[in-house]
Amino acid sequence: PKKPHAQVEWQQVDLLKKNDLTPLSRGCDAILHMANLTKTDPAQDYEVASQLVDGALANQVRDFFYCSSIRVYGTALGVVDATTPANPHPQDIYAQKKLRTEKLLTEKFKGTSTRLRILRIGHVLSDSNVSRAPDRLSFKYLLFWGKTYPHYIDVQDATRAILYLLETRERLKFPVYNIT
């Protein structure tokens, strides 16, 4: 990022290459897993998440944040909250893979001291993609999603929400947070 946050260290790695990811979490208090290979290589996405968990556990990282998607709720109408069951649309492979990874992480962290927080983020818009938002409301899009409202969020608002959760992680009470 152009203006990195003072308490966040960004590490760049090519996740399409086989890497030992354990060193990435050495000395970390928290991991924010934002990488997404679901659209290009779902099997690799799952493997990368698994490796990051193994590294977090090996290095005793206290908090692990996984950026998932609001799309795991499928065609749920209206407000989605902690009581809304995840039920991805059968044709939405992306949402199905995100939910699969959420389940993998939940199982791997069960019974450990690492706190998992799943961030289900809406459709993030920035200056570079805001012009495409109306395309998402096309007739084809509405047919695919039914009457669901596409949950949009500005990139700056999404960033502030994620930073807030990172900064207040000691007080967080829930395993899943919707950011939309």
Side-chain angles (χ1 to χ4, degrees):
K2 294 176 186 172
K3 297 178 184 178
H5 189 275
Q7 294 178 313
V8 176
E9 177 185 331
W10 293 92
Q11 296 190 30
Q12 186 172 334
V13 62
D14 185 348
L15 297 175
L16 295 175
K17 295 180 181 176
K18 294 289 181 189
N19 296 297
D20 176 13
L21 301 179
T22 303
L24 290 176
S25 60
R26 202 167 287 134
C28 291
D29 294 324
I31 293 175
L32 173 60
H33 176 27
M34 297 179 77
N36 178 19
L37 304 172
T38 302
K39 291 180 181 178
T40 56
D41 190 346
Q44 184 69 1
D45 188 67
Y46 195 71
E47 178 62 27
V48 165
S50 184
Q51 286 183 39
L52 288 172
V53 170
D54 293 343
L57 294 173
N59 291 307
Q60 300 177 334
V61 174
R62 286 195 48 117
D63 295 285
F64 192 100
F65 291 82
Y66 174 63
C67 291
S68 185
S69 173
I70 202 82
R71 287 168 50 178
V72 300
Y73 293 113
T75 56
L77 295 174
V79 175
V80 291
D81 61 21
T83 64
T84 308
N87 186 22
H89 191 283
Q91 295 176 7
D92 190 350
I93 302 303
Y94 173 79
Q96 290 178 18
K97 298 298 181 184
K98 284 295 191 181
L99 185 59
R100 179 180 177 225
T101 302
E102 285 183 21
K103 291 177 179 178
L104 160 86
L105 296 174
T106 301
E107 278 302 308
K108 284 195 153 234
F109 284 121
K110 190 181 290 182
T112 72
S113 61
T114 302
R115 298 175 293 211
L116 172 64
R117 302 290 188 247
I118 295 169
L119 310 180
R120 291 179 176 161
I121 303 173
H123 299 280
V124 179
L125 297 177
S126 67
D127 289 341
S128 64
N129 71 357
V130 74
S131 63
R132 288 185 278 172
D135 294 342
R136 292 197 171 124
L137 299 176
S138 68
F139 182 68
K140 181 179 176 182
Y141 183 86
L142 292 173
L143 277 178
F144 180 76
W145 286 104
K147 295 180 181 179
T148 59
Y149 178 75
H151 298 266
Y152 290 110
I153 185 168
D154 178 77
V155 68
Q156 295 299 322
D157 293 335
T159 302
R160 282 191 284 277
I162 292 168
L163 285 172
Y164 174 79
L165 292 171
L166 286 168
E167 291 168 350
T168 61
R169 65 183 183 269
E170 294 298 326
R171 299 188 310 260
L172 299 180
K173 298 177 183 177
F174 306 106
V176 175
Y177 289 85
N178 295 321
I179 301 175
T180 186

